[in-house]
Structures are given as C-alpha cells and as structure tokens.
Amino acid sequence: MYTIDFTKPIHVHFIGIGGISMSGLAEILLTEGFTVSGSDAKKSKLTSHLESLGATVHYPQLASNITDDIDLVVYTAAIHPDNPEYKYVREKGVPVLTRAQLLGQMMKNYSMPIAVSGTHGKTTTTSLASHVLMAAGCDPTISVGGILPSIHGNIRVGNSGVFITEACEYTNSFLSFFPKISLILNVDADHLDFFKDIDDIRHSFHEFAKLLPSDGTLIIDADTPNYETIANGLDCEVITYGLKNKDGDYTASDITFDKIGHPTFTCSYHGEKIGTFSLLIPGTHNVSNALATIALARKLDIDVETIKEGFKTFMGTDRRFQYKGKVNGVTVIDDYAHHPTEITATLKSAVNYPHKETWCVFQPHTYTRTKALLDDFARALTLADKVILVDIYAAREKNTLGISSRDLQKKIQALGTECYYFPSFKEVESFCLDKCHPDDMLITMGAGDVVKIGETLITM
C-alpha cells in the first residue's frame, strides 16, 4: 500500500478528478502542497475550481496525460480496465490507489479522524456534526458526499487534527479507512449487486468497526436489528443511542414538530436529561441522526450549548428534503431517497409539512436494487397520496434482469395507491401541471437526475 505523508508532498494524478469525492480529496492535497493533476471527460464547475487552485486537468482521458513526473495515480470504481490512462499506468508500473485507499491513507495524517457510516443518513449526519465541530472552534477538515452550503461545496480544509468524512460500505470501500471514532447510523439491505444479503452487510460493518484502535470509539444506533453482532468482540469503547431502544446510552423523548415539520426533543444520557434540542431539518429520522451527533460531540468534550448552536446553523444539504420553489401554488421538494427505508422516512417527514395531497415523482436507482427490493419500494411509496414513476436510472448497470418501472407501478396499484408511469420527463411535467392543485406538495425523489423535473417546473 502506497503511503501518503503530508510532510512529503508528491505528484498525484486523479483519473476522473471531476467526481464530487475525487475533487474534494484533490483539493485537500493541493492545500497540503501536493502537485495535483487529473483528467475527466469534460470540464465542470468542480474541475474549474481545482484548476483555479493550481491543479492541471486534462480533457478527455488519454494515455498521454500520464507524464513521467507522476508519483501516484488515484482512480475510482467507475474506471474500467480498458480506460486508456488506467491501462497505460498499469503497463508502466506506476503506483496506484483507489479513491477509498487514498482517503484511508489521508486519515492517518490527522490525530482525530472521524468516519460516519451507515446505509442511510451519512451525508446529513456528517454535515450536522460538521456544523457542531465548526461551532466549537475545532476547525475541522470536512469531506461530505453532498453540497453543504455553509462550506460552499463538499470540502473544507481546516488547520487542526480533526477530520470528518463519510464512510461508504459499497464494495467495502470503508475497510480501507483508519478512523479513531466511527459512527454506524444503521445497517440495511442495500447494494445487493455487491453484497449477498443482510448478513453479508452486517459482517462488513463488523469488519469496519474492528478497524478502530483500542483507544478508539464506536458510536452505534441501538435501534439497528442485531447491532450487538456488529459491536461484539471489540476492544474499543462502544457508545449506543436509540429512539426505540431505551437501553441506549443516549435516548430521545418528548419529540414535537413545528408547523413545517422541524423536530424538538429532549435528549437523555443514561436516563438523565442533558438538554432540549431543536433542528431545522424535518423528520423523526433526523432526531436519530442528531442523537449520533450529540454522542460524538460529547465524546469530543463539546458542551451542550455549543451543540445547540451548531444545530441552529444547519438547514440541510442539497437534495435532502430540499425546498425548490413553487409552481401554480404547488410546493416542490427534492429528495435523494433511493432506498425503501429512506423513502419511508422522507414521506413520513412530509406529513408534518403543511399541504393537501402528496405527489411523489420517483426514479428507481439501479436495476439490481429495484429487483431485490421491489415489494419494499411499493409499500414505502404508498405513503404518498399519488405516485408518478419514470424509468429506472441505470447508473453503473445494464438491465440484465428484465425489470422496469412498470413492474413497480403494478405493485403500487395493487396496494390501492394511484400510480402513473411516463417514459419522458416532459410528459411528467405536463401531467403535473395539469393534475397537481394549489397547496399540494410535489416531491421529486431518487439518486439520479429526477431533480431536473422539479427544477423545470418551477421555471414555468
């Protein structure tokens, strides 16, 4: 494994430097004095930003971009073996790291690396915790998987030993990390194109927890089914929290919501009240995310009042129950939810937001996930009053399973909920303009490009 040492900067080349995570890591290295180059298919805001910081970015990806002065090449899972740069690098024997391996190596350069994992809620919790860390004057380096308005992007380079990042389980990426504190927010069946089943996923999270040193800390949601199998056998400190499991170290009670669904709750530690907290993000699931953040903050000796101040400054990240605007009196919301558990949480959150009917425009994400969780998707989507489906967003896959959005439509209709399917965004937009009424809520939902529908509607 190639070692990254911030005191010995080298020339690092990123294949696919324009990705949100890759660009963030490149920015950190640039700030630490590394020479950074990279390539991507086309110019973007992210690549332009890196160029303004001193990176050299090539368009498109060609073998000639790999120059003799490059010491290390970083690539993502999206790069195929026939990629001209990757192929040339392998032929030349240039050292390589995956994106996850680079992130893990970078974590070694911080005295307090924090990894936020879980099937759902990583971006929101990392962002919420980041606001608390900034309120406490910790001056953290932050790497988040979405756009966080307060840091004007997905990366913040601090000047302390505190580093907080998301830790994704897909392809076991997080097993390349070296955290001092790890958060496990939940463990659910997902990414079944890689994992065999839920037991396989639990095993990976257990292996992730085992990466913690003996003086490290695991913070884990006690509401997670069989969470003990993940925490068992660890020689580090284990802190638990839970909404349902009142045996957790941190618990919440007296949960209430304001007129637009923002929760206030009482947090207790070992049964003793430590404070009343309010959030500016909706949903009971975010109370759980807040408990994880409170546990982390108190572990870092951040006082309750500072935690509250951090909560007051966080109004969410892009694509997490994000208000987009209005069209003909209809409130348009966008959300990244693409798993049944996430859909359930989002649609339950919507109940507390003032409106008449809930319309959900859902774009399934990947054929394998849709096929494996078809019944669960159908049940979750029936929480909306009316559902509109568009075609499955393929992402990295090809449809070898014979699954389509029409299969999901039939399941939803069989459960008694109105459900429509349209093959084009333009048809969805026309239908919504015709059928949605003033004071209705329209939620565009999914991890693909379904957000464009709402953005188009509010300009009409």
Side-chain angles (χ1 to χ4, degrees):
M1 180 71 67
Y2 197 93
T3 301
I4 294 292
D5 184 345
F6 283 2
T7 66
K8 299 175 182 176
I10 57 172
H11 182 174
V12 182
H13 181 86
F14 290 78
I15 305 177
I17 198 169
I20 191 163
S21 180
M22 290 278 271
S23 64
L25 299 184
E27 183 170 343
I28 294 174
L29 292 184
L30 280 165
T31 307
E32 294 295 338
F34 284 66
T35 300
V36 171
S37 63
S39 62
D40 220 301
K42 59 184 179 180
K43 202 177 188 72
S44 67
K45 286 183 180 179
L46 290 174
T47 59
S48 294
H49 175 63
L50 290 174
E51 288 177 299
S52 74
L53 297 176
T56 301
V57 183
H58 304 278
Y59 313 94
Q61 293 169 348
L62 301 170
S64 58
N65 297 334
I66 307 301
T67 54
D68 291 338
D69 60 332
I70 292 172
D71 300 296
L72 173 70
V73 171
V74 181
Y75 66 99
T76 69
I79 300 301
H80 297 136
D82 60 353
N83 177 282
E85 291 187 20
Y86 181 82
K87 191 174 178 181
Y88 185 63
V89 162
R90 285 303 198 185
E91 289 172 358
K92 285 190 67 178
V94 180
V96 296
L97 290 178
T98 65
R99 180 205 62 83
Q101 289 170 338
L102 172 66
L103 179 51
Q105 288 298 313
M106 290 169 65
M107 292 175 85
K108 289 182 174 182
N109 291 270
Y110 296 88
S111 58
M112 185 55 70
I114 303 162
V116 181
S117 74
T119 318
H120 324 291
K122 292 185 289 293
T123 297
T124 296
T125 306
T126 303
S127 301
L128 182 61
S130 295
H131 271 247
V132 173
L133 291 170
M134 289 188 287
C138 294
D139 195 14
T141 295
I142 300 164
S143 175
V144 66
I147 300 301
L148 181 57
S150 60
I151 63 174
H152 310 291
N154 67 311
I155 209 78
R156 177 188 189 272
V157 182
N159 292 294
S160 74
V162 179
F163 177 51
I164 184 166
T165 182
E166 293 184 34
C168 182
E169 74 278 9
Y170 184 57
T171 68
N172 283 329
S173 292
F174 61 1
L175 299 187
S176 296
F177 289 5
F178 295 90
K180 185 72 175 290
I181 300 177
S182 291
L183 281 66
I184 297 179
L185 306 175
N186 39 61
V187 179
D188 217 338
D190 198 11
H191 298 305
L192 296 174
D193 57 326
F194 177 77
F195 296 108
K196 296 179 205 170
D197 50 32
I198 185 62
D199 289 333
D200 191 24
I201 296 169
R202 284 198 193 100
H203 172 74
S204 284
F205 275 95
H206 179 59
E207 291 298 308
F208 171 67
K210 284 167 60 178
L211 297 173
L212 288 162
S214 58
D215 61 344
T217 302
L218 174 66
I219 298 170
I220 187 168
D221 185 1
D223 292 334
T224 300
N226 301 313
Y227 83 91
E228 299 91 346
T229 62
I230 297 168
N232 278 349
L234 303 180
D235 60 357
C236 66
E237 177 186 26
V238 177
I239 298 173
T240 60
Y241 67 93
L243 292 180
K244 299 174 185 175
N245 189 336
K246 297 306 179 183
D247 291 330
D249 297 317
Y250 289 88
T251 57
S253 60
D254 306 320
I255 302 173
T256 59
F257 297 91
D258 67 14
K259 62 182 181 180
I260 54 173
H262 296 156
T264 293
F265 63 96
T266 298
C267 177
S268 298
Y269 177 66
H270 291 166
E272 286 192 26
K273 176 181 174 180
I274 63 170
T276 299
F277 299 82
S278 296
L279 299 174
L280 295 179
I281 49 177
T284 305
H285 63 293
N286 277 320
V287 175
S288 180
N289 293 334
L291 285 178
T293 301
I294 292 168
L296 170 64
R298 280 168 53 89
K299 176 61 187 175
L300 296 174
D301 295 324
I302 298 174
D303 63 83
V304 166
E305 291 307 312
T306 302
I307 298 171
K308 291 180 181 180
E309 286 302 312
F311 284 3
K312 285 179 184 177
T313 64
F314 180 61
M315 301 181 70
T317 56
D318 284 2
R319 303 219 60 210
R320 271 69 179 179
F321 208 85
Q322 183 183 12
Y323 174 82
K324 302 295 287 189
K326 285 199 173 189
V327 55
N328 299 337
V330 178
T331 299
V332 179
I333 302 288
D334 181 62
D335 197 273
Y336 190 72
H338 56 286
H339 183 280
T341 301
E342 297 166 350
I343 294 168
T344 299
T346 297
L347 292 177
K348 284 185 175 180
S349 297
V351 171
N352 297 300
Y353 196 104
H355 69 287
K356 290 180 179 176
E357 286 193 309
T358 302
W359 291 78
C360 180
V361 181
F362 181 62
Q363 181 183 48
H365 190 262
T366 74
Y367 302 109
T368 51
R369 182 184 285 115
T370 306
K371 177 82 170 178
L373 304 175
L374 190 65
D375 290 336
D376 295 330
F377 274 119
R379 281 191 292 270
L381 287 164
T382 60
L383 292 172
D385 295 303
K386 294 170 183 176
V387 180
I388 302 169
L389 299 175
V390 297
D391 286 327
I392 296 170
Y393 190 83
R396 55 191 171 266
E397 297 182 345
K398 293 183 179 179
N399 190 6
T400 60
L401 301 173
I403 189 77
S404 76
S405 291
R406 288 194 181 278
D407 297 308
L408 180 56
Q409 180 190 23
K410 290 173 185 175
K411 292 277 185 181
I412 294 169
Q413 289 173 335
L415 291 172
T417 296
E418 278 188 50
C419 184
Y420 305 89
Y421 161 77
F422 297 100
S424 75
F425 284 8
K426 187 166 283 190
E427 289 171 283
V428 173
E429 292 154 10
S430 297
F431 182 80
C432 290
L433 287 172
D434 182 48
K435 299 296 183 181
C436 294
H437 298 113
D439 297 323
D440 283 353
M441 178 188 292
L442 176 69
I443 306 176
T444 57
M445 185 181 291
D449 58 354
V450 67
V451 60
K452 294 177 180 177
I453 291 174
E455 291 175 343
T456 299
L457 283 170
I458 62 175
T459 63
M460 290 182 170

